[in-house]
Amino acid sequence: MKKLMVLLCACLMAACGGDMKQNMQDKYDSRIVRLSKLEIHEQYLDEYLTFVGEVGRLSFEREPGVITLFSVQEKENPCHITILEIYKDREAYEHHISTPHFQHYKQGTLHMVKDLQLIDGVALVPEMKIKE
């Protein structure tokens, strides 16, 4: 009888674990992951950096669906900026691009951007976190 109880508990745990794993996978599958690669006109670089810093901070503080907006400037080519954008889901992304702070960034920087590439991706290790 004891062996049967242990077997039943093991089966139940395995079944629940599978559901938990599927729920985690569903959570990650709904995420929007994007690299925004920009080239900024040199004469606007300082002004652009102010804009991108502001929109990143405000979005992260005010929008729970924004997981990260991590901006990187190339050392060798400072006018080349890459932003890693991760959103909880499509709804969070749509909300983000409709916010006043994003619209202020977008409209305020249109003339500064020489080239823009939006590259959608899939996280290879989606549970990975950035830590201090």
Side-chain angles (χ1 to χ4, degrees):
M1 184 68 166
K2 189 174 180 180
K3 288 182 181 180
L4 180 59
M5 289 300 289
V6 170
L7 181 60
L8 287 173
C9 285
C11 289
L12 183 59
M13 287 174 57
C16 290
D19 288 345
M20 286 181 9
K21 185 175 181 180
Q22 185 60 48
N23 288 343
M24 291 301 286
Q25 189 61 43
D26 292 346
K27 171 185 164 181
Y28 296 130
D29 285 348
S30 65
R31 287 189 174 172
I32 303 294
V33 179
R34 170 174 287 163
L35 290 175
S36 295
K37 297 177 69 77
L38 301 102
E39 183 177 358
I40 307 303
H41 291 287
E42 188 173 0
Q43 67 267 30
Y44 298 116
L45 183 58
D46 290 339
E47 188 178 1
Y48 177 81
L49 294 176
T50 300
F51 269 98
V52 79
E54 178 183 323
V55 75
R57 280 189 291 280
L58 290 174
S59 299
F60 192 76
E61 290 169 5
R62 297 179 180 176
E63 300 176 58
V66 172
I67 295 170
T68 195
L69 293 174
F70 196 88
S71 304
V72 178
Q73 182 179 33
E74 291 183 19
K75 285 183 178 181
E76 296 295 321
N77 298 300
C79 292
H80 291 211
I81 309 291
T82 301
I83 306 168
L84 169 61
E85 304 177 44
I86 305 177
Y87 305 93
K88 179 182 171 193
D89 52 27
R90 172 70 49 193
E91 184 179 338
Y93 171 75
E94 296 295 335
H95 172 74
H96 170 69
I97 62 174
S98 72
T99 61
H101 50 272
F102 178 80
Q103 288 301 315
H104 174 72
Y105 159 81
K106 188 67 175 174
Q107 298 307 313
T109 61
L110 280 173
H111 66 285
M112 300 177 191
V113 177
K114 186 175 185 179
D115 186 50
L116 170 64
Q117 297 175 39
L118 301 175
I119 303 165
D120 290 327
V122 176
L124 298 179
V125 185
E127 68 276 10
M128 187 65 70
K129 304 276 189 223
I130 297 172
K131 62 181 179 178
E132 294 287 320

